[in-house]
């Protein structure tokens, strides 16, 4: 069946038997494809039938499908004409791992952060209403994404009448937190089809008309209906928000999905369908361990994921996780908080050892930060482990609830800088710029594993809010150690000195922030440059900076963050304040979104590997570097 599908229109010509065969083939195609490229697997295996049913029932792309997060859209990509390009998934110039409007007309809304689908679909539904169009808008959201406040803000707005009319919006809750339980069986399937059908709707509206002139009887009937539905479905809250709730139904049963979606497609107003799916469905290894198979690298489907024979270098995330356990053992006031990223943030062992001090608040970054602020007010020391890109969603809370009150807490910013295959939506490109401009916030950028431990300890012992940024993956492989020794607060260190004679004026100094210290050191060997490991973005070590500036002809700053407002900008501001005028070359991420691809390749393309740093310096100061001296001129 799969080779016959070039667009969703082909699905709409298939009968139920053919669609079931298609689901089997699509699931196998997914497994083979992801095993060759890496990517999200468990979530996509769980949405095969749902994706087929949606494209079969709705007239896509005229009807809008809006996926939440988007890491469950590989079946959608395959069925919408991108099957041949799946071999390029998450690679440079290849398919994105998430929906993108510039990739396909079937990707109606770009996404990779959670809980945006209902808001976006509601906007599309109201736009159709305002333009007099009959198309439908469908939001597909997971149970994890429903933990975010934004989803409920959208639901609260979605069930309301706009210009006297409730928009035609369907919300599909993809509930994959549990296996199919006994209530989701034949009886439940029958009730779902009954409640989504025209007879039920007509009878319901007819009863309203009969009883509306007798308010006590109308209220009694409404309560009876509500409680009757509440006995078999958990939909009362959605009904109260103005949605007609249907479900839960088996999200892997096309015989249940298709007729229910057909009924809901033809019903006006706000509808809510609750489907239950299983992550990893159809691949036993992923069903048994959906977390391990959530985002695997390449593997053999016949064997499954095999641990490497030799242990890889510890990641920065693992160094943080070990530090968290060690500091918690030393200080009973430590509380660890994550917004639904226990595994990704390295908190599994902390959760096991200190369950009473571990808090997973769900996908609710704003709540996570203010919840931590409340703990800090009562004398605890919160450590919020959060990806740099996700902290963007809690920026107001950082300013208003934490920094303004100068509360002592630590933000452990994982995935700072480029992240590779997940692309621009997950890159931590902006935390330096948006953190250093906040009064009373400090920011540390450690260069390697032992320095990360020391930076975290410094942050923890500081009496105020501190963010510590570190990248995804491994560092240079230095042993992190086990002590809890802090860094000297606000101090950088000289890591390499030029071979110029003592007391003479030196040519060039590279000021490195974070893990780019090591490519900077490599470039400095070729250029015979001084190298400073700055460590602190804020407070900047101005004493060391000004000393270096007064003894060198030119400076170069290097950071894995955006240049506008970044660490290089902080250096320029400091030099200007001290009325020092010398050439400064700032190197960092360019002022554009960096797409998905191999991390090392992306850094090279941005000129942030050793060769790129050296080349940029030679290009800026070609004559001076070749001649062995730099002219002291104004920035140009």
């Amino acid at each position: 069946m799969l080779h016959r599908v070039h667009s969703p229109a082909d699905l709409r010509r298939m009968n139920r038997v053919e669609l079931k065969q298609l689901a089997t083939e699509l699931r196998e195609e997914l497994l083979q494809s992801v095993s060759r490229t890496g990517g999200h697997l468990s979530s996509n295996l769980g949405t095969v039938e749902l994706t087929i049913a949606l494209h079969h029932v709705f007239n896509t792309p005229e009807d809008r499908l809006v996926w939440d997060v988007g890491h469950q859209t590989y079946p959608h990509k395959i069925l919408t004409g991108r099957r041949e390009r799946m071999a390029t998934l998450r690679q440079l110039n290849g398919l994105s791992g998430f929906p993108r409007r510039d990739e396909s007309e079937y990707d109606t809304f770009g996404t990779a952060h959670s809980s945006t689908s209902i808001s976006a679909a509601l906007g599309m539904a109201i736009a159709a209403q305002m333009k007099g169009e009959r198309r439908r808008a469908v939001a597909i959201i997971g149970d994890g994404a429903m933990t975010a406040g934004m989803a409920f803000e959208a639901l609260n707005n979605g069930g309301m009448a706009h210009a006297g009319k409730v928009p035609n919006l369907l919300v599909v809750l993809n509930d994959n937190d549990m296996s199919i339980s006994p209530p989701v069986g034949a009886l439940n399937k029958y009730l779902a089809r009954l409640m989504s059908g025209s007879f039920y709707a007509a009878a319901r509206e007819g009863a309203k008309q009969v009883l509306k002139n007798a308010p006590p009887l109308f209220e009694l009937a409404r309560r009876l209906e509500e409680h009757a539905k509440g006995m078999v479905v958990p939909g009362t809250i959605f009904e109260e928000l103005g949605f007609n709730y249907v479900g839960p139904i088996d999200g892997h049963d096309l015989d249940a999905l298709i007729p229910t979606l057909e009924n809901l497609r033809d019903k006006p107003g706000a509808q809510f369908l609750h489907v239950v799916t299983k992550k990893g469905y159809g691949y036993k290894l992923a069903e048994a361990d959906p977390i391990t198979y959530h985002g695997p690298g390449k593997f053999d489907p016949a064997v499954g994921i095999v641990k490497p024979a030799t242990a890889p270098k510890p990641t920065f995330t693992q160094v943080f996780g070990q530090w968290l356990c060690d500091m918690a053992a030393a200080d009973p006031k430590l509380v660890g908080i994550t917004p639904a990223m226990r595994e990704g943030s390295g908190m599994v062992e902390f959760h096991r050892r200190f369950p009473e001090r571990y808090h997973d608040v769900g996908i609710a970054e704003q709540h996570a930060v203010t919840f931590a602020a409340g703990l800090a007010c009562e004398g605890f020391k919160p450590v919020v482990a959060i990806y740099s890109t996700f902290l963007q969603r809690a920026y107001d809370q950082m300013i208003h609830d934490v920094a303004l009150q100068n509360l002592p807490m630590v933000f452990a910013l994982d995935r700072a800088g480029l992240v590779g295959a997940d692309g621009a939506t997950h890159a931590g490109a902006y935390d330096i710029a948006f953190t250093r401009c906040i009064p009373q916030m400090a920011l540390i950028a450690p260069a390697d594993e032992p320095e990360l431990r020391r930076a975290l300890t410094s942050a923890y012992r500081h009496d105020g809010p501190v963010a510590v940024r570190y990248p995804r993956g491994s560092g240079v492989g230095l042993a992190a150690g086990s002590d809890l020794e802090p860094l000297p607060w606000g101090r950088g260190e000289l890591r390499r000195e030029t071979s110029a004679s003592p007391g003479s004026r030196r040519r060039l100094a590279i000021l490195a922030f974070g893990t780019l210290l090591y490519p900077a050191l490599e470039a400095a060997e070729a250029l015979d440059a001084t190298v400073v490991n700055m460590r602190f973005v804020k407070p900047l070590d101005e004493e060391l900076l000004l000393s270096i500036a007064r003894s060198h002809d030119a400076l170069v700053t290097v950071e894995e963050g955006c240049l506008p407002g970044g660490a290089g900008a902080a250096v320029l501001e400091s030099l200007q304040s001290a009325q020092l005028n010398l050439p400064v070359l700032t190197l960092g991420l360019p002022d554009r979104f960096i797409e998905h691809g191999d991390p090392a390749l992306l850094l090279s393309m941005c000129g942030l590997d050793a060769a790129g740093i050296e080349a940029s310096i030679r290009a800026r100061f070609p004559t001076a570097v070749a001649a062995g001296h730099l002219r002291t001129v104004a920035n140009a």
Side-chain angles (χ1 to χ4, degrees):
M1 293 294 104
L2 190 55
H3 77 278
R4 291 169 46 188
V5 178
H6 304 288
S7 75
D10 298 318
L11 287 180
R12 294 192 276 273
R13 289 189 286 268
M14 290 183 178
N15 60 40
R16 202 78 57 83
V17 173
E18 292 172 321
L19 291 174
K20 291 176 182 179
Q21 176 62 27
L22 175 65
T24 300
E25 295 178 16
L26 179 55
R27 185 166 275 110
E28 180 63 22
E29 176 86 1
L30 272 172
L31 179 59
Q32 296 300 326
S33 177
V34 175
S35 71
R36 290 190 292 266
T37 64
H40 293 99
L41 182 61
S42 296
S43 53
N44 283 290
L45 290 174
T47 58
V48 167
E49 288 83 6
L50 178 59
T51 305
I52 289 172
L54 286 166
H55 279 296
H56 176 75
V57 171
F58 289 93
N59 183 31
T60 55
E62 177 65 18
D63 289 330
R64 314 297 201 233
L65 299 186
V66 182
W67 298 88
D68 215 284
V69 182
H71 61 231
Q72 76 276 41
T73 55
Y74 297 1
H76 163 81
K77 287 176 182 279
I78 292 172
L79 296 176
T80 53
R82 287 168 276 182
R83 181 187 178 195
E84 299 303 320
R85 295 188 63 203
M86 287 297 289
T88 70
L89 185 72
R90 292 156 52 92
Q91 299 167 40
L92 187 65
N93 300 320
L95 287 181
S96 169
F98 304 98
R100 288 184 52 144
R101 282 169 52 83
D102 60 0
E103 188 176 286
S104 170
E105 63 179 335
Y106 293 94
D107 292 0
T108 61
F109 195 77
T111 183
H113 289 188
S114 82
S115 315
T116 60
S117 61
I118 305 176
S119 297
L122 176 60
M124 295 174 183
I126 291 180
Q129 180 178 301
M130 293 174 69
K131 293 191 289 185
E133 298 173 349
R134 295 181 59 83
R135 58 179 171 81
R136 304 295 302 222
V138 183
I140 305 98
I141 183 169
D143 55 296
M146 283 294 292
T147 61
M150 185 174 178
F152 283 91
E153 291 171 18
L155 286 171
N156 182 54
N157 187 214
M160 297 168 52
H162 301 264
K165 183 180 179 183
V166 177
N168 294 329
L169 171 68
L170 170 61
V171 175
V172 178
L173 172 61
N174 177 27
D175 183 351
N176 57 24
D177 193 42
M178 57 183 177
S179 58
I180 307 301
S181 55
V184 188
L187 176 61
N188 204 278
K189 183 193 304 184
Y190 170 75
L191 289 169
R193 293 180 63 178
L194 177 66
M195 287 189 291
S196 67
S198 58
F199 175 79
Y200 174 81
R204 191 170 185 254
E205 291 304 311
K208 281 185 179 181
Q209 295 300 317
V210 171
L211 296 173
K212 67 180 182 179
N213 294 322
L217 291 176
F218 179 82
E219 179 63 17
L220 176 61
R222 188 190 67 80
R223 289 179 178 273
L224 283 172
E225 180 198 38
E226 184 177 285
H227 287 295
K229 292 178 76 172
M231 285 189 290
V232 291
V233 294
T236 303
I237 185 172
F238 303 111
E239 293 275 355
E240 291 294 334
L241 289 169
F243 284 76
N244 175 49
Y245 174 92
V246 175
I249 64 172
D250 186 345
H252 301 297
D253 184 354
L254 288 170
D255 290 328
L257 279 171
I258 290 175
T260 302
L261 285 170
E262 287 173 341
N263 286 334
L264 293 173
R265 177 195 60 197
D266 299 330
K267 288 175 66 67
Q271 310 295 325
F272 192 102
L273 174 62
H274 183 176
V275 302
V276 179
T277 61
K278 186 177 181 64
K279 285 184 178 178
Y281 187 77
Y283 182 50
K284 295 300 182 184
L285 293 174
E287 287 185 25
D289 190 0
I291 293 175
T292 296
Y293 286 86
H294 172 71
K298 299 177 183 180
F299 69 99
D300 182 350
V303 177
I305 297 172
V306 179
K307 292 183 179 180
T310 57
K313 292 187 294 185
T315 65
F316 284 103
T317 301
Q318 290 170 330
V319 172
F320 162 74
Q322 185 58 56
W323 171 87
L324 188 66
C325 290
D326 294 344
M327 185 58 79
D331 185 0
K333 293 291 187 181
L334 184 148
V335 179
I337 299 166
T338 176
M341 297 303 296
R342 184 188 70 159
E343 287 76 19
S345 294
M347 298 181 71
V348 173
E349 181 64 14
F350 176 78
H351 182 200
R352 186 188 69 81
R353 291 179 55 186
F354 305 98
E356 73 285 355
R357 288 192 271 160
Y358 166 82
H359 296 273
D360 181 346
V361 302
I363 303 177
E365 294 87 357
Q366 294 169 298
H367 164 63
V369 172
T370 304
F371 168 62
L375 284 163
C377 287
E378 297 299 325
F380 286 91
K381 198 65 181 276
V383 177
V384 180
I386 188 169
Y387 290 8
S388 169
T389 183
F390 296 153
L391 183 60
Q392 295 164 186
R393 312 185 88 180
Y395 191 53
D396 176 64
Q397 286 69 27
M398 276 186 74
I399 297 173
H400 185 272
D401 299 339
V402 177
L404 189 60
Q405 303 184 92
N406 199 31
L407 295 175
M409 55 188 284
V410 178
F411 294 91
L413 303 188
D414 203 330
R415 273 60 168 182
L418 299 181
V419 293
D422 282 338
T425 56
H426 283 62
Y430 312 110
D431 55 78
I432 294 178
F434 74 61
T435 298
R436 78 174 190 88
C437 67
I438 304 175
Q440 304 191 119
M441 278 291 304
L443 176 61
I444 313 176
D448 50 39
E449 298 90 338
E451 200 163 88
L452 173 58
R453 271 191 72 100
R454 296 184 68 192
L456 289 163
T457 301
S458 299
Y460 189 80
R461 293 180 178 171
H462 182 68
D463 189 22
V466 187
V468 180
R469 76 185 310 259
Y470 48 95
R472 181 177 189 174
S474 302
V476 291
L478 298 178
S482 58
D483 61 20
L484 294 172
E485 184 71 22
L487 294 171
W489 185 256
R491 296 295 181 186
E493 63 167 355
L494 188 64
R495 288 292 292 262
R496 185 191 189 279
E497 288 193 82
T498 179
S499 58
S501 59
S504 65
R505 187 162 183 85
R506 293 160 173 79
R507 294 181 295 139
L508 177 73
I510 303 175
L511 312 179
F513 293 85
T515 55
L516 292 187
L517 168 68
Y518 288 93
L521 283 167
E522 189 177 336
E525 289 296 323
L527 298 165
D528 189 24
T530 296
V531 178
V532 180
N533 176 19
M534 292 301 291
R535 290 174 169 166
F536 285 79
V537 179
K538 185 181 181 182
L540 201 63
D541 188 345
E542 292 193 340
E543 181 180 335
L544 177 59
L545 169 62
L546 298 181
S547 172
I548 293 294
R550 291 184 175 114
S551 60
H552 290 75
D553 290 325
L555 302 180
V556 178
T557 66
V558 183
E559 61 190 296
E560 195 174 340
C562 67
L563 284 172
V571 168
L572 289 169
E573 292 162 9
S574 183
L575 293 175
Q576 185 182 45
S577 179
Q579 298 183 339
L580 287 177
N581 192 20
L582 74 163
V584 179
L585 171 63
T586 58
L587 300 178
L589 298 179
D591 189 19
R592 58 182 173 82
F593 294 113
I594 309 299
E595 299 301 343
H596 49 276
D598 177 76
L601 177 59
L602 295 178
L603 280 174
S604 175
M605 291 173 61
C606 293
L608 294 178
D609 59 351
I613 293 169
E614 180 186 346
S616 293
I617 293 173
R618 292 186 183 279
R620 173 67 184 272
F621 309 112
T623 305
V625 170
H629 68 278
L630 290 167
R631 294 171 297 152
T632 303
V633 296
N635 279 3

